[in-house]
Amino acid sequence: MEGDFAAPGAGEGAAPEVRALAKVVARLRAEVVDLEGGASMTAVLERAKGVVMAQAGVSAEAAYRLLLDRAEQHRRTLLEECWITLGRVGEGGAPASVRPAAPPSDQPREDDPSPFSTPRYVLGGARPAGHGWTLAQLARGLAHARTPADVAELLLATLREPEDVDAVMIYTVAAAGNLELVGSAGVSDELAGQWSRIPPLSGVAALEAVDAQEAVWLEDMRRDDDRYLLIGDPPGQWPSRAWLPVPGGVPMTTVVGFFRTRPGPFDARTRTLLRRAVRLCVGPLREDRGPLGGDASASGEDVAAVQAVLDALPGPAVLLAPLRSETGDVEDYLIEAAAPGAVDVAGRRGKELVGRRILETYPTVAGTALWDGYLDTLVTGSVYESDPFTYEEVTAGVPQKSVYSVRASRLGGRLVVSWVRHDASERETRLLADMQRLGNLGWAGWNLITDTITWSDQVYVIFDRDPALGPMRLEELPEHLVAEDLPRLGAAVQRLLGDGRAIDEPFRITAAHGVRHLRIVAEAQRDADGTPVEVHGFFQDLSAQKDAELALRDSERENLVQRGMLKAERALGARLQETLLPIPEQSLDLAGLCVDVAYMPADRGLNVGGDWYSAIELPDRSALFVVGDVAGHGLAAVGTMAQLRFTAKGMSITGSGLPDVLSRLNALLLHTADDERGTTATMVMGRYQPWNHRLTWVRAGHPPPLLIRDDEARFLPQPEGPLLGALHGSRYEEAVVDLLPGDHLLLYTDGLVEKPGEDISVGLDRLAAEALRLVRGGRDPMVARMLAGTGTGNRDDVCVLDIHVPRGRDRAPSGT
């Protein structure tokens, strides 16, 4: 990148003296590179000679000749043979004194397996301690690496001692999708041959790294063995391993695997070192050398290099290529590279902008001073720096105005444009504080380079922590967690801080006033190597919501229990009712009368009603007819119905007068009431004497009987008779009606005539009209049944008793 972009103005249009100076600089730079390469080669040769001297016990000159013989025998260069020799240090038991020296380090290796260990993630500086020495050694060796095998040997020799790397394998994706092994070190020839080609199967970690274009870290042998096809025989010889795709143009087709003898996770320093080591190997692994070759043009390589730089920038920036018309005028600009912080009006971010045009992503800049500044920079090469200006954009359909400053500079024939959005106003700051307070959430950030943690005021409220203590350290968090949530939150912390993946995780903490339900939503900002360097997100207190959910759940549970109890009560009540009223529809012959009965239970609700009837023959050959309705539903109503039914029958059979029966039933209900409201009921009773065709009847708050005679329907005048169970000392009077042949007398319960929101007189009129229509139609035996059917859909039970005086025919007496 330096050679391509160091002097963009020294092209064909530059002055002769400038071009001459550029050539001198280029020649001197090449000489320096040659000198550095020679020095690097000398150092590698001397180290390899030392290894051979220690292994074979020979002199320095003999070791040199032995290296030459091995290189000639295997058709390698001397440098390649030196790197291979150094890569095998340790396999033959070479003493530590001849191995590559350990890199200097100010800090010990962090082996704490806990995901809540700060040293696992904190980088401690712009570059981890000791990495500079290792990467410098690797860079010097790569200057002379010729093949992927050389790169593998070099990586193993450089990383074996500081990071316990035991083997390196380099694969590339072939045209058919297979993985081809193009370089390896630390593995036997037999194993390399066995795994030289891997078909495109699922569960191959190297393919997953290529497809996802992200590193895959295998750190738990038991879990990884279930998920992936592991290389090795047995696979457990390398308890931890990593697959890192080689960065560059898309698609990435080369991946490097590192195999370690030490179990456990890769800490943040090791992950950063491996990423940077692979990045240094981009040149040797992606140049046109055999199966790893590339056909990218110089322009494409330039853009990739600029993208790599932009990836490391904290703010928004883009690389623009001018799009010209046939006349040569600039019509638009194409975004060829973009920093992660670049966002357009549609919310597209970072590399999502690559390949789009400026007028597509920022449509209102055309014709502005900013657009003219771009053109001036492109033509003259002078840097354009705008004054702060207001830019109107639409977010979620709402126009918003923001203040920006833009800087544009020329890079070859392109523009590098960066911009700054100025700080929010005091009003926006206040709104943010109000939002945190109302939403009971607060933001937090952690700079992993400086190890600086920042909390907003609301986070202290959420954690019930004194602000004087400062933000909580990562190691302190498990002390406040509910024990059951510790493993799950630990895995989330590892995903965020170790892998750089965003998380959205609920967890619970113990505070002064009990358990709190919290939620963390966070993401990591990564550097160009993919190492998390900063994390930011928010904590939200969901305790009130969780309490509401638990209360709702308890309420639903209670409702289910109550519903089950009501169903059981209904079933029992229905069985009792069926026992008392065994036949819902029947026809009887009593005292020369045709009696039809129909009973229709309510269609809705869980409880049974208290409607009942009775039609029996008394000892003096007269007939007793009763229809009653107990207020309420359920077992209590069925029990009261049974009391009334059997008491009325018993008193009538012993000869008691009908008014006396109602008086006794009223006293019974008042005496047996089990609460302040008591139990009430309505009833109509009639005794028919066949010798004079007279019906004596009484009522207690019940709707009047309906008489149908001579093609006319009318309700009988009602004698005095208040509700049963309402008042002490209630008086009941009786009335008399003589029945004629062809008459129909209907006794019924209020469920037949009452509807919610309707006056009862409307229901009575409707009953009279329908009953008369049925009788006129000659459907005498069906009157009770069809009238009860009209009550379908009502909320109350319906009971209908039709007493019909036949015309000139006798029937055998019977009853129930």
Side-chain angles (χ1 to χ4, degrees):
M1 177 175 173
E2 279 186 7
D4 294 335
F5 297 119
E12 295 181 358
E17 58 273 16
V18 176
R19 293 200 301 270
L21 180 59
K23 291 180 180 179
V24 173
V25 172
R27 178 174 56 80
L28 292 176
R29 181 177 295 168
E31 291 178 359
V32 171
V33 172
D34 290 340
L35 290 174
E36 290 178 349
S40 175
M41 180 176 181
T42 301
V44 173
L45 176 60
E46 292 303 318
R47 288 168 56 198
K49 285 167 59 178
V51 171
V52 174
M53 291 169 62
Q55 291 178 338
V58 298
S59 64
E61 185 178 351
Y64 177 71
R65 288 197 302 269
L66 187 56
L67 287 171
L68 286 175
D69 292 341
R70 290 177 180 175
E72 182 178 357
Q73 178 182 358
H74 296 95
R75 296 182 180 179
R76 302 187 184 113
T77 65
L78 178 60
L79 181 62
E80 291 171 349
E81 188 63 36
C82 289
W83 278 118
I84 292 174
T85 300
L86 291 174
R88 291 173 177 169
V89 172
E91 293 182 5
S97 59
V98 301
R99 299 179 185 177
S105 176
D106 298 330
Q107 301 176 6
R109 187 195 311 274
E110 178 54 51
D111 293 323
D112 187 354
S114 171
F116 298 96
S117 173
T118 295
R120 287 187 59 185
Y121 312 111
V122 173
L123 302 179
R127 181 166 293 182
H131 284 187
W133 184 90
T134 302
L135 295 174
Q137 289 292 102
L138 178 62
R140 284 193 290 270
L142 287 171
H144 301 278
R146 294 291 180 268
T147 66
D150 295 345
V151 175
E153 294 287 355
L154 182 58
L155 287 171
L156 179 60
T158 307
L159 300 174
R160 179 192 291 275
E161 183 67 23
E163 301 300 335
D164 293 336
V165 173
D166 188 55
V168 176
M169 302 183 79
I170 302 176
Y171 282 92
T172 185
V173 180
N178 297 323
L179 281 176
E180 302 278 353
L181 181 64
V182 294
S184 63
V187 299
S188 64
D189 293 341
E190 180 182 357
L191 184 61
Q194 180 183 355
W195 294 90
S196 62
R197 177 173 297 180
I198 302 176
L201 304 173
S202 60
V204 177
L207 275 175
E208 182 178 309
V210 172
D211 294 338
Q213 300 184 7
E214 290 185 355
V216 176
W217 308 93
L218 308 181
E219 302 167 322
D220 186 332
M221 180 56 60
R222 181 178 303 175
R223 181 189 62 190
D224 297 333
D225 192 26
D226 293 336
R227 181 178 178 184
Y228 295 105
L229 175 65
L230 298 180
I231 294 174
D233 189 17
Q237 63 179 312
W238 296 308
S240 61
R241 49 187 85 189
W243 292 98
L244 281 72
V246 176
V250 177
M252 299 178 183
T253 58
T254 309
V255 62
V256 180
F258 296 96
F259 300 77
R260 297 198 311 179
T261 56
R262 178 163 61 91
F266 294 83
D267 58 33
R269 294 180 177 84
T270 301
R271 292 190 177 201
T272 300
L273 176 59
L274 296 184
R275 288 190 179 102
R276 288 174 173 158
V278 172
R279 181 172 292 276
L280 283 176
C281 298
V282 168
L285 292 181
R286 295 192 66 85
E287 290 177 2
D288 190 9
R289 295 177 179 174
L292 292 179
D295 56 358
S297 65
S299 175
E301 293 173 356
D302 294 350
V303 171
V306 174
Q307 181 65 66
V309 174
L310 295 185
D311 286 342
L313 294 182
V318 292
L319 177 67
L320 304 181
L323 301 177
R324 300 182 183 274
S325 65
E326 295 179 357
T327 61
D329 296 327
V330 176
E331 292 182 330
D332 204 344
Y333 294 87
L334 181 69
I335 301 176
E336 293 189 327
V343 184
D344 72 346
V345 295
R348 293 178 289 246
R349 181 180 298 273
K351 293 182 180 179
E352 294 178 351
L353 301 174
V354 174
R356 300 185 181 276
R357 302 187 176 203
I358 280 293
L359 295 184
E360 174 188 356
T361 54
Y362 309 98
T364 59
V365 301
T368 64
L370 182 62
W371 189 264
D372 296 336
Y374 286 176
L375 291 176
D376 183 72
T377 299
L378 192 62
V379 173
T380 65
S382 60
V383 175
Y384 170 74
E385 293 186 353
S386 74
D387 295 327
F389 65 96
T390 301
Y391 181 79
E392 182 172 329
E393 55 193 351
V394 178
T395 303
V398 179
Q400 295 182 350
K401 293 183 178 181
S402 303
V403 179
Y404 290 90
S405 294
V406 177
R407 187 180 192 275
S409 58
R410 192 173 70 182
L411 183 63
R414 301 178 178 88
L415 292 179
V416 176
V417 179
S418 60
W419 60 94
V420 176
R421 180 177 180 177
H422 296 282
D423 293 339
S425 65
E426 180 181 350
R427 178 176 179 273
E428 290 175 331
T429 303
R430 186 171 64 255
L431 290 176
L432 177 61
D434 291 342
M435 181 189 68
Q436 294 185 73
R437 176 178 52 82
L438 294 174
N440 206 2
L441 57 86
W443 59 264
W446 186 11
N447 189 314
L448 299 176
I449 296 177
T450 62
D451 192 17
T452 303
I453 301 176
T454 307
W455 277 10
S456 69
D457 294 340
Q458 193 65 25
V459 180
Y460 290 98
V461 177
I462 292 173
F463 278 90
D464 198 15
R465 183 178 177 87
D466 186 356
L469 298 176
M472 187 184 300
R473 302 290 299 172
L474 184 61
E475 288 84 356
E476 298 179 59
L477 186 56
E479 301 174 6
H480 302 272
L481 287 174
V482 173
E484 297 175 359
D485 295 348
L486 187 61
R488 180 164 46 82
L489 188 60
V493 169
Q494 171 62 34
R495 291 197 305 272
L496 174 66
L497 300 175
D499 303 334
R501 290 184 284 168
I503 62 170
D504 184 345
E505 196 73 29
F507 64 99
R508 294 168 293 173
I509 63 170
T510 54
H513 301 289
V515 175
R516 289 186 177 178
H517 295 262
L518 306 185
R519 172 194 182 198
I520 179 175
V521 178
E523 63 181 4
Q525 178 182 336
R526 298 188 284 187
D527 61 11
D529 301 308
T531 302
V533 295
E534 186 174 359
V535 294
H536 52 271
F538 65 84
F539 293 97
Q540 186 175 19
D541 189 348
L542 302 176
S543 300
Q545 176 182 336
K546 288 295 182 180
D547 291 344
E549 291 177 358
L550 292 175
L552 178 60
R553 190 181 308 165
D554 292 342
S555 176
E556 291 176 348
R557 186 181 296 112
E558 292 177 2
N559 287 339
L560 289 175
V561 172
Q562 184 68 18
R563 191 174 182 84
M565 295 175 61
L566 291 175
K567 284 184 177 180
E569 182 178 330
R570 175 182 173 83
L572 178 58
R575 293 184 62 184
L576 290 175
Q577 194 177 52
E578 289 172 1
T579 302
L580 298 172
L581 306 173
I583 305 176
E585 296 179 2
Q586 60 179 332
S587 296
L588 306 171
D589 290 332
L590 291 176
L593 301 175
C594 297
V595 182
D596 293 309
V597 181
Y599 175 80
M600 183 71 66
D603 289 340
R604 289 179 289 179
L606 293 175
N607 292 318
V608 294
D611 291 17
W612 60 281
Y613 68 90
S614 181
I616 62 172
E617 186 176 280
L618 297 177
D620 62 357
R621 310 285 297 197
S622 63
L624 177 69
F625 304 103
V626 186
V627 171
D629 184 3
V630 178
H633 297 80
L635 293 177
V638 175
T640 302
M641 178 190 74
Q643 284 183 317
L644 297 178
R645 185 171 188 268
F646 291 121
T647 302
K649 288 175 64 174
M651 294 184 65
S652 299
I653 290 174
T654 58
S656 299
L658 297 183
D660 292 338
V661 173
L662 291 185
S663 296
R664 297 292 179 88
L665 292 179
N666 181 61
L668 176 66
L669 290 185
L670 290 171
H671 178 70
T672 58
D674 57 359
D675 56 39
E676 295 180 357
R677 294 174 298 175
T679 303
T680 60
T682 65
M683 185 183 299
V684 60
M685 296 179 63
R687 177 182 293 168
Y688 176 73
Q689 300 173 163
W691 51 85
N692 59 5
H693 308 291
R694 174 164 293 179
L695 178 74
T696 304
W697 67 283
V698 293
R699 60 174 287 274
H702 205 83
L706 176 65
L707 177 64
I708 302 175
R709 173 183 294 172
D710 298 334
D711 203 26
E712 180 184 356
R714 64 184 178 88
F715 293 98
L716 299 182
Q718 302 186 67
E720 181 180 351
L723 196 70
L724 295 177
L727 298 171
H728 289 278
S730 296
R731 293 180 63 255
Y732 299 92
E733 297 181 355
E734 64 182 16
V736 176
V737 59
D738 293 331
L739 298 182
L740 303 178
D743 286 353
H744 284 268
L745 184 67
L746 297 179
L747 309 180
Y748 53 91
T749 57
D750 57 5
L752 185 63
V753 294
E754 287 186 347
K755 286 187 177 181
E758 182 182 83
D759 189 84
I760 191 172
S761 61
V762 178
L764 292 173
D765 292 343
R766 182 173 54 249
L767 170 62
E770 181 65 17
L772 183 59
R773 184 186 66 82
L774 292 174
V775 172
R776 286 174 177 174
R779 310 187 71 174
D780 295 8
M782 304 289 292
V783 170
R785 186 179 307 174
M786 298 191 72
L787 286 176
T790 62
T792 302
N794 284 357
R795 298 182 180 183
D796 202 358
D797 296 352
V798 173
C799 181
V800 181
L801 193 150
D802 177 23
I803 303 171
H804 174 49
V805 182
R807 297 180 184 274
R809 61 187 179 94
D810 298 325
R811 304 179 73 172
S814 63
T816 180

